[in-house]
Amino acid sequence: MTLVQARLAHAADVEGFRRQARALLHAGIEPDRVAWQVEAGGDDAAADLFDACAAFRADDLPQPDAATPSVRVPAAFAQLCDAGLLHRSPQRHALLYRLLWRLRHEPGLRHDPLDPQMRQARELARAVQRDIHKMRAFVRFTALPDGRHVAWFEPAHHVVEANAGFFARRFAQMRWAILTPDRCIEWDGSRLQLRPGADRTEKPAPDAGEALWLTYYEHIFNPARLKVAAMVREMPRRYWPQLPEATLIRPLIDTAAGRAGAMVDAGATPARRFRPIVPLRAAVPQHTPRTLEELRVATDACRDCPIGAGATQAVCGSGPLQAAHMLVGEQPGDQEDLAGRPFVGPAGQLLDRALAELGWARDAIYLANAVKHFKYELRGKRRIHKTAGQREAAACLHWLEREIELVQPRSLVALGATAARALLGRPVAVQGERGRWLHERADGLPVLLTWHPSALLRLPPAQRPAAYAQWLSDLAAAREAA
Ligand code: URA
């Protein structure tokens, strides 16, 4: 039997497989006569033997010309094939070529869901899809002093190229590299480059973002909701060595029962206090507030929109008059509503952390919100934050503008889209416009737009360190400018 050698340039050479499979099918070469071999970084190692036995190569076969009907396969199989080719199994090319051959010669195959080879191919494709998804979720970038972000990742299959477009789109504004033992990808802000695999010694050392992430992970771990099997399904153990938070899992599991017991013993959270609805006419003062205290009293009584009626109190800004910078958030949250001060809850803690990293004293800044009352919906006893509607934010705008007039900052920083819309009077896409000074206000105050800290807390873990680094650099730019 004459062997035909089909060579693939690298382990993820899908195009090379398609080209040669087309030529092989066109020439009527049965699957048993084809020896598939991966050249660079090959995991398929029978090369020498086949070199000796093979009479010719698939690439020497004529390609079917444009007039020859191409191999017709169901679209679902084409997708399955593209994914299956990225599996680490050395038998994948042989299996998928055999299926292509059979699809051509056994028309009934496409209607047989239980065919063992089809099932095997589906298994390969499923494992690859899962690894593509896990890479998106588990890549952790580290910030380097030169401004680049670098991650080390060890995929289960050859999924690096398949994910390159995803990472380029998601982190388009950053310079980054993902190093893996198979292949590395680099993005310089405009161009993707593929490089040969890296060595584990090139894995970057942990940075400040990692310490933040570990603290965050520890805090959001809810011992009362622990389901170890479900957690391991989502975060398979093979990825643990690559995940900094994995070191916390064992101690968190070990202490979960005790902590959950303490939560039960602590009893229920007392019900929140609600203010009665104050009639609109009686409540709104007839004059423009001349001091921040008058502003607080006036906003507290404001019922120009329905939010105020359900809140404990209005939350005006805090900080010194004539602060160089005024940072504007969206609206008070649950804890701010109870405390009567802005940014004291989780978003405020993240802001405090960022300010501390920048050496920027919180009490040098005036912190305010676009909307002065807490909007929420009740779920059981819990008050869940609801973003204020545009008309509600518009009703509150005159309070914010009065606050700016009274404080007289030299610049404004909009934390998130609600604040940006209030300050600029137009819809703003944070991702597209962040990090730049915008000179659009009638009073001449420049506005710098950046992420809201709550948006960072809501991001999937893989994206958090990079977004946090962007946020820090935006805040640093805001601080420098004034
Ligand atoms: N989010 C805000 O926008 N403001 C706060 O005061 C707290 C959370």
Side-chain angles (χ1 to χ4, degrees):
M1 183 172 65
T2 326
L3 273 187
V4 183
Q5 192 179 56
R7 290 189 165 201
L8 298 155
H10 53 84
D13 184 7
V14 174
E15 196 37 57
F17 176 85
R18 284 203 204 116
R19 184 185 65 247
Q20 295 176 84
R22 233 182 344 253
L24 289 161
L25 283 175
H26 179 61
I29 311 281
E30 299 95 333
D32 286 343
R33 289 180 53 206
V34 187
W36 293 92
Q37 183 203 335
V38 178
E39 295 195 356
D43 46 9
D44 308 7
D48 294 347
L49 175 66
F50 290 126
D51 266 344
C53 307
F56 57 91
R57 292 186 180 183
D59 264 335
D60 297 334
L61 292 168
Q63 277 286 332
D65 58 29
T68 312
S70 56
V71 186
R72 286 195 162 270
V73 293
F77 181 78
Q79 278 173 10
L80 181 150
C81 195
D82 284 358
L85 286 169
L86 305 181
H87 200 279
R88 246 177 235 283
S89 161
Q91 274 82 47
R92 64 195 182 279
H93 302 106
L95 172 71
L96 292 165
Y97 179 63
R98 184 173 295 283
L99 283 167
L100 281 170
W101 175 270
R102 289 183 58 206
L103 279 167
R104 181 170 243 200
H105 295 91
E106 298 172 33
L109 177 60
R110 64 186 67 196
H111 306 298
D112 179 2
L114 297 179
D115 179 83
Q117 285 175 346
M118 272 295 186
R119 288 175 58 184
Q120 212 181 332
R122 274 197 294 274
E123 277 300 307
L124 298 191
R126 238 193 317 270
V128 167
Q129 293 297 0
R130 188 168 155 79
D131 197 39
I132 287 178
H133 170 74
K134 292 298 173 205
M135 179 170 172
R136 292 178 184 186
F138 293 155
V139 159
R140 304 276 186 265
F141 284 107
T142 300
L144 298 192
D146 65 4
R148 285 184 319 132
H149 287 80
V150 176
W152 171 259
F153 189 73
E154 294 177 33
H157 302 291
H158 301 291
V159 297
V160 175
E161 276 169 285
N163 263 334
F166 167 85
F167 282 100
R169 279 190 303 282
R170 186 54 65 88
F171 299 113
Q173 305 197 1
M174 238 164 75
R175 288 184 300 129
W176 54 259
I178 301 177
L179 313 180
T180 87
D182 303 324
R183 305 195 99 191
C184 304
I185 25 174
E186 273 185 37
W187 171 255
D188 64 4
S190 58
R191 216 158 35 106
L192 265 178
Q193 288 206 46
L194 280 161
R195 301 199 182 289
D199 188 88
R200 190 174 290 172
T201 52
E202 294 173 57
K203 182 176 175 175
D207 64 353
E210 182 169 318
L212 168 76
W213 165 229
L214 292 182
T215 312
Y216 174 76
Y217 188 85
E218 219 171 336
H219 280 79
I220 56 159
F221 180 88
N222 183 345
R225 296 231 170 131
L226 177 62
K227 291 199 176 80
V228 177
M231 191 189 77
V232 173
R233 245 192 332 274
E234 270 311 296
M235 200 196 250
R237 285 182 203 274
R238 83 165 295 284
Y239 297 98
W240 286 21
Q242 309 177 50
L243 298 171
E245 66 271 29
T247 53
L248 299 175
I249 293 176
R250 179 47 55 202
L252 286 171
I253 292 176
D254 289 347
T255 52
R259 288 174 59 201
M263 284 162 79
V264 172
D265 293 344
T269 314
R272 308 287 188 189
R273 192 160 57 88
F274 295 104
R275 282 173 67 87
I277 297 175
V278 181
L280 185 65
R281 276 173 192 284
V284 174
Q286 297 307 305
H287 66 273
T288 306
R290 284 160 309 176
T291 62
L292 288 177
E293 179 51 23
E294 282 185 16
L295 181 83
R296 197 193 57 73
V297 172
T299 50
D300 199 36
C302 177
R303 295 294 178 268
D304 287 353
C305 80
I307 306 181
T312 309
Q313 56 195 314
V315 180
C316 281
S318 74
L321 284 174
Q322 298 187 339
H325 303 86
M326 181 159 165
L327 269 57
V328 182
E330 180 198 325
Q331 60 164 323
D334 180 77
Q335 297 190 34
E336 288 79 12
D337 169 83
L338 294 173
R341 281 177 294 115
F343 288 103
V344 294
Q349 284 159 21
L350 189 59
L351 181 63
D352 283 346
R353 182 175 184 125
L355 295 176
E357 276 184 46
L358 296 172
W360 197 0
R362 175 170 167 145
D363 55 16
I365 302 168
Y366 192 90
L367 287 172
N369 281 305
V371 173
K372 305 299 181 198
H373 283 114
F374 175 37
K375 181 172 177 182
Y376 60 89
E377 73 184 16
L378 273 178
R379 284 204 210 132
K381 286 185 188 163
R382 293 172 61 217
R383 304 189 302 171
I384 307 297
H385 166 277
K386 272 192 92 177
T387 302
Q390 282 172 30
R391 287 169 53 182
E392 290 154 343
C396 224
L397 183 58
H398 66 109
W399 298 129
L400 174 64
E401 289 297 343
R402 185 65 191 139
E403 200 168 19
I404 295 171
E405 284 168 9
L406 290 169
V407 175
Q408 297 182 342
R410 294 208 295 281
S411 66
L412 300 166
V413 177
L415 301 173
T418 301
R421 189 176 189 134
L423 293 172
L424 297 170
R426 65 174 173 87
V428 178
V430 180
Q431 171 73 33
E433 299 195 51
R434 53 152 281 275
R436 278 186 285 131
W437 286 104
L438 303 164
H439 300 272
E440 298 175 23
R441 285 178 56 87
D443 60 7
L445 282 176
V447 179
L448 186 131
L449 170 61
T450 189
W451 301 112
H452 190 286
S454 302
L456 299 182
L457 292 173
R458 281 195 301 267
L459 278 178
Q463 295 163 29
R464 220 168 278 143
Y468 181 73
Q470 285 180 348
W471 191 51
L472 274 191
S473 88
D474 292 349
L475 291 174
R479 183 194 175 188
E480 305 275 296

